[in-house]
Amino acid sequence: MFPKGKVILSGMQPSGALHLGNWLGALKNWVNLQQDNHCFFTIVDLHAITIPYEPKELPQRVLELAADFLAAGIDPEKSVLFVQSHVPEHVELAWLFNTITPLGELERMTQFKDKASEHREAQNAGLLNYPILMAADILLYHPDLVPVGEDQTQHVEFTRTLARKFNSTFGEYFTEPKVYEAQVPRVMSLLEPAKKMSKSYGPNHCIFLSDEPETIRKKIAKAVTDDGGTADGRISGGRNLLQLFKVLSDDKALKQQLDDQYRVGELKYSEFKPLLAEAIIKTLEPIRKKRQELLSKPKQVEKTLLSGRDSARVIAAKTLSDVKERMGLA
Ligand code: AMP
Ligand code: TRP
């Protein structure tokens, strides 16, 4: 099911605590991919500063995301885990790419349009140029595949366009990376199951990787089970919870039984919800404990990131030097 022997790169913004959606939708797959592939995972702090943020909090957010990655199973012996701003080649290549990017390409990006209208008071050129930096993040490492969620596929398409543009202007150099679409469950909000689980709706919509067992029990107890939201092919709250149980539990017989009950409308949520809460707790408990342990030794996490930076830089510096030579800047 997972590709073998490929170069893989992905990134995540340090924008706060990770939730079950991030774990099932991204991180869990990254952990699987690293078994048979050469993986690069980067914490994209330079992307995170394109929207208003608190500078004093950023280092802690980066550290916590690194702890989340490591706790979830990203193994620095197998994968290169690094912070984007530690490798200045990303910014330098992004500038070079600026000069071959048609403005129109940037202006039509869906994420730019969304974020620019969301942050009207703080529109900045970084928000517009965001995909150029992402293209640099990717192309520096010559990946075959880029695992991203659906909302980022347009940016990977853009990256392919830039690679082609570079090749046709300065000579064949980059190979075009492809989106790696894992079959991932879309985890829906606990309180508004018509929407994706996202921390922007508030903490009670999400289960965070750092949530204590008691918090998880309370959040699941309050989860909406029916919103009549099956219109437009949307899933109901009950279906969302059942799907979560299906991914998290290995008890096949129980899963079948609950599914049958759901289909005939006889699922008793008062009995099912505690089962789900315990399945979530059992899955997340080792991650939460490991995360706490790592955060109690921040120096060790920082050391891992610096060693990742060193490995990343070797490759990034070579690509940048090749690019500059082709652009007449060597
Ligand atoms: P974000 O924090 O929204 O940038 O997401 C980081 C990663 O987690 C991306 O690869 C998303 O596709 C994935 N992700 C975020 N929310 C969900 C969700 N509710 N269900 C599944 N995957 C998600
Ligand atoms: N833009 C991506 C997001 O918001 C994060 C990201 C930055 C990324 N650089 C990347 C993802 C390179 C994959 C590859 O989720």
Side-chain angles (χ1 to χ4, degrees), residues 9-13 30 42 44 47 84 111 115 130 133-135 137-138 146-149 151-152 155-156:
L9 178 134
S10 198
M12 212 184 275
Q13 297 198 37
W30 294 7
T42 177
V44 292
H47 277 114
Q84 183 189 36
Q111 181 179 293
K115 287 203 180 175
Y130 181 113
L133 180 58
M134 180 158 160
D137 297 340
I138 295 172
V146 183
V148 284
D151 61 326
Q152 294 297 316
H155 289 161
V156 180

Coordinates of all heavy atoms in Angstrom, one line a residue, residues 9-13 30 42 44 47 84 111 115 130 133-135 137-138 146-149 151-152 155-156, ligand 2:
L9 N 8.9 14.3 0.8 CA 9.0 15.5 1.6 C 7.6 16.0 2.0 O 6.7 16.0 1.1 CB 9.8 16.6 0.9 CG 9.9 17.8 1.7 CD1 11.3 18.4 1.7 CD2 8.9 18.9 1.3
S10 N 7.5 16.4 3.2 CA 6.3 17.1 3.6 C 6.6 18.1 4.7 O 7.7 18.0 5.3 CB 5.1 16.1 4.0 OG 3.9 16.9 4.0
G11 N 5.6 19.0 5.0 CA 5.9 20.0 6.0 C 4.6 20.3 6.7 O 3.5 20.0 6.2
M12 N 4.7 20.8 7.9 CA 3.5 21.2 8.7 C 3.9 22.5 9.4 O 5.0 22.7 9.8 CB 3.2 20.1 9.7 CG 1.7 20.1 9.9 SD 1.2 18.9 11.2 CE 1.1 17.3 10.2
Q13 N 2.9 23.4 9.5 CA 3.1 24.7 10.2 C 3.0 24.5 11.7 O 2.1 23.7 12.2 CB 2.0 25.6 9.8 CG 2.0 26.0 8.3 CD 1.2 27.2 8.0 OE1 1.3 28.2 8.8 NE2 0.6 27.3 6.9
W30 N 2.9 9.5 7.6 CA 4.3 9.9 7.5 C 5.1 8.8 8.2 O 6.2 8.4 7.7 CB 4.6 11.2 8.2 CG 4.0 12.4 7.5 CD1 3.1 12.4 6.4 CD2 4.2 13.8 7.8 NE1 2.7 13.7 6.1 CE2 3.4 14.5 6.9 CE3 5.0 14.5 8.7 CZ2 3.4 15.9 6.9 CZ3 4.9 15.8 8.7 CH2 4.1 16.6 7.9
T42 N 9.5 18.7 7.5 CA 10.0 20.0 8.0 C 8.9 20.8 8.7 O 7.7 20.7 8.3 CB 10.6 20.8 6.8 OG1 11.0 22.1 7.3 CG2 9.7 21.0 5.6
V44 N 7.4 24.2 9.2 CA 7.6 25.4 8.4 C 7.2 26.7 9.1 O 6.1 27.3 9.0 CB 6.8 25.2 7.0 CG1 7.4 24.2 6.2 CG2 5.3 24.9 7.3
H47 N 6.5 29.8 7.0 CA 5.1 29.9 6.5 C 4.1 30.4 7.6 O 3.2 31.2 7.4 CB 4.6 28.6 6.0 CG 5.1 28.3 4.6 ND1 6.0 27.3 4.3 CD2 4.8 28.9 3.4 CE1 6.2 27.3 3.0 NE2 5.5 28.3 2.4
Q84 N 12.4 24.6 9.0 CA 12.6 25.4 7.7 C 13.5 26.5 7.9 O 14.5 26.7 7.1 CB 11.2 25.8 7.3 CG 11.1 26.6 6.0 CD 9.7 27.2 5.8 OE1 9.1 27.6 6.8 NE2 9.2 27.1 4.6
Q111 N -5.9 29.1 -1.5 CA -5.5 29.4 -0.1 C -5.2 30.9 0.1 O -5.6 31.5 1.1 CB -4.4 28.6 0.4 CG -4.0 28.9 1.8 CD -2.8 28.0 2.3 OE1 -2.9 26.8 2.4 NE2 -1.7 28.7 2.5
K115 N -7.1 33.2 2.7 CA -6.4 33.8 3.8 C -6.4 35.3 3.7 O -6.5 36.0 4.7 CB -5.0 33.3 3.9 CG -4.9 31.9 4.4 CD -3.6 31.6 5.0 CE -3.5 30.1 5.5 NZ -2.2 29.7 6.0
Y130 N 3.6 32.8 -0.5 CA 3.6 31.5 0.2 C 3.9 30.3 -0.6 O 4.8 29.5 -0.3 CB 2.2 31.5 0.9 CG 1.9 30.3 1.8 CD1 1.8 30.5 3.2 CD2 1.8 29.0 1.3 CE1 1.5 29.4 4.0 CE2 1.5 27.9 2.1 CZ 1.3 28.2 3.5 OH 1.0 27.1 4.3
L133 N 7.6 29.8 -1.6 CA 8.5 29.3 -0.5 C 8.2 27.8 -0.4 O 9.1 27.0 -0.2 CB 8.2 30.0 0.8 CG 9.0 29.5 2.0 CD1 10.5 29.7 1.8 CD2 8.6 30.3 3.2
M134 N 6.9 27.4 -0.6 CA 6.6 26.0 -0.5 C 7.3 25.2 -1.6 O 7.8 24.1 -1.4 CB 5.1 25.8 -0.5 CG 4.7 24.3 -0.4 SD 3.0 24.2 0.3 CE 2.6 22.6 -0.3
A135 N 7.3 25.8 -2.8 CA 7.9 25.1 -4.0 C 9.4 25.0 -3.7 O 10.0 23.9 -4.0 CB 7.7 26.0 -5.2
D137 N 10.8 24.7 -0.6 CA 10.9 23.7 0.4 C 10.9 22.3 -0.3 O 11.7 21.4 0.1 CB 9.6 23.6 1.3 CG 9.4 24.9 2.1 OD1 10.3 25.6 2.3 OD2 8.2 25.1 2.5
I138 N 10.1 22.2 -1.3 CA 9.9 20.9 -2.0 C 11.1 20.6 -2.9 O 11.8 19.6 -2.8 CB 8.6 20.8 -2.7 CG1 7.4 20.9 -1.7 CG2 8.5 19.5 -3.6 CD1 6.0 21.0 -2.4
V146 N 5.0 14.0 -2.5 CA 4.7 15.0 -1.5 C 3.4 14.7 -0.8 O 2.3 14.9 -1.5 CB 4.7 16.4 -2.0 CG1 4.5 17.5 -0.9 CG2 6.0 16.8 -2.8
P147 N 3.4 14.0 0.3 CA 2.1 13.7 1.0 C 1.5 15.0 1.6 O 2.1 15.6 2.5 CB 2.5 12.7 2.1 CG 3.9 12.8 2.2 CD 4.5 13.6 1.1
V148 N 0.4 15.4 1.0 CA -0.3 16.6 1.6 C -1.8 16.3 1.6 O -2.3 15.5 0.8 CB -0.1 17.9 0.8 CG1 1.3 18.4 1.1 CG2 -0.3 17.7 -0.7
G149 N -2.5 17.1 2.4 CA -4.0 17.0 2.3 C -4.5 17.7 1.1 O -3.8 18.4 0.4
D151 N -6.3 20.2 0.6 CA -6.2 21.7 0.5 C -4.8 22.2 0.0 O -4.7 23.3 -0.4 CB -6.5 22.3 1.8 CG -5.5 21.9 2.9 OD1 -5.1 20.7 2.9 OD2 -5.2 22.7 3.8
Q152 N -3.8 21.3 0.0 CA -2.5 21.7 -0.5 C -2.1 21.2 -1.9 O -1.0 21.5 -2.4 CB -1.4 21.2 0.5 CG -1.6 21.9 1.9 CD -1.4 23.4 1.8 OE1 -0.4 23.9 1.2 NE2 -2.2 24.1 2.5
H155 N -1.0 23.8 -4.4 CA 0.3 24.3 -4.2 C 1.4 23.3 -4.8 O 2.4 23.7 -5.2 CB 0.6 24.5 -2.7 CG -0.1 25.7 -2.2 ND1 -0.3 25.9 -0.8 CD2 -0.7 26.8 -2.8 CE1 -1.0 27.0 -0.7 NE2 -1.3 27.6 -1.8
V156 N 1.1 22.0 -4.7 CA 2.0 21.1 -5.3 C 2.0 21.2 -6.9 O 3.0 21.1 -7.5 CB 1.8 19.6 -4.8 CG1 2.8 18.7 -5.4 CG2 1.9 19.6 -3.3
Ligands
TRP2 N1 1.5 24.8 3.1 C1 1.5 23.5 3.9 C2 0.3 23.5 4.8 O1 -0.2 24.6 5.2 C3 2.7 23.3 4.7 C4 4.0 23.2 3.9 C5 4.9 24.2 3.7 C6 4.3 22.1 3.1 N2 5.9 23.7 2.9 C7 5.6 22.4 2.5 C8 3.7 20.8 2.9 C9 6.2 21.5 1.7 C10 4.4 19.9 2.0 C11 5.6 20.3 1.4 O2 -0.2 22.5 5.2

